[in-house]
């Protein structure tokens, strides 16, 4: 299993940051690995909502079906799965002021079958991807909320 964590400060109120990030289709704006992400179904975003996410990693595209597993005022958890991996994106939000929010983003990847053997060799690449996400996410949120 690979776990990465980054903490970011976003110049926007907590409720606005959560409202932006709860729509996982917006990962194309802040996740450098996401090629496309499409919401499946209609209606309000709520626990159980799903998205089809296509990411590029090491030159290959892979598709995961993501589900919003937890939706609270200060926490979002998305779980994505395919035949090779289960990915969990856990975001915790803290209001530092009325206009500034701290986002603690944890990504966990649990590989399945023979893919588990590759996990130790992939950690560095996931750390670099987490660094790039930490750079892009605050700017993407701020740009969207202007």
């Amino acid at each position: 299993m690979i776990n990465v964590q980054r903490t970011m400060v976003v110049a926007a109120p907590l409720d606005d940051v959560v409202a932006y990030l709860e729509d996982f289709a917006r990962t194309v704006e802040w996740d450098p690995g996401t090629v496309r992400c499409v919401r499946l179904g209609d209606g309000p975003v709520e626990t159980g909502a799903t998205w089809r996410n296509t990411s590029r990693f090491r030159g290959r595209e892979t598709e995961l079906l993501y589900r919003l597993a937890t939706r609270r005022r200060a926490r979002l958890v998305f779980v994505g799965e395919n035949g090779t991996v289960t990915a969990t994106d856990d975001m915790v939000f803290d209001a530092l002021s009325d206009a500034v929010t701290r986002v603690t983003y944890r990504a966990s990847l649990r590989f399945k079958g023979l893919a588990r053997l590759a996990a130790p060799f992939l950690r560095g690449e996931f750390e670099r991807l987490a660094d790039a996400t930490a750079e892009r996410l605050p700017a993407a949120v701020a740009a969207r909320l202007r």
Side-chain angles (χ1 to χ4, degrees):
M1 183 145 123
I2 296 174
N3 294 298
V4 294
Q5 178 176 312
R6 297 295 182 272
T7 301
M8 298 150 270
V9 176
V10 179
L14 183 143
D15 290 336
D16 292 347
V17 174
V18 173
Y20 170 79
L21 291 171
E22 74 183 359
D23 184 353
F24 206 67
R26 293 185 176 132
T27 56
V28 297
E29 298 171 11
W30 57 264
D31 177 5
T34 296
V35 175
R36 69 188 149 275
C37 190
V38 178
R39 170 108 186 266
L40 305 176
D42 296 322
V45 173
E46 57 190 12
T47 302
T50 56
W51 292 261
R52 179 165 282 114
N53 179 284
T54 305
S55 295
R56 184 173 293 117
F57 182 72
R58 300 183 79 191
R60 295 180 57 197
E61 285 190 6
T62 186
E63 193 172 274
L64 283 88
L65 182 62
Y66 272 89
R67 172 180 57 82
L68 178 55
T70 301
R71 182 179 179 264
R72 297 189 192 129
R73 179 175 185 265
R75 186 171 184 212
L76 297 170
V77 179
F78 297 91
V79 177
E81 193 161 11
N82 66 18
T84 305
V85 68
T86 298
T88 302
D89 293 49
D90 188 344
M91 296 179 233
V92 176
F93 308 91
D94 296 299
L96 299 180
S97 72
D98 289 343
V100 179
T101 303
R102 178 175 50 223
V103 179
T104 303
Y105 178 79
R106 295 176 189 96
S108 302
L109 298 121
R110 182 180 303 276
F111 293 93
K112 302 174 185 178
L114 291 176
R116 289 184 310 213
L117 301 174
F121 305 102
L122 300 175
R123 172 170 291 290
E125 290 185 56
F126 280 106
E127 291 287 349
R128 284 187 289 282
L129 187 59
D131 288 341
T133 297
E135 288 180 25
R136 286 180 64 171
L137 189 144
V141 174
R144 179 62 92 131
L145 298 178
R146 282 188 194 135

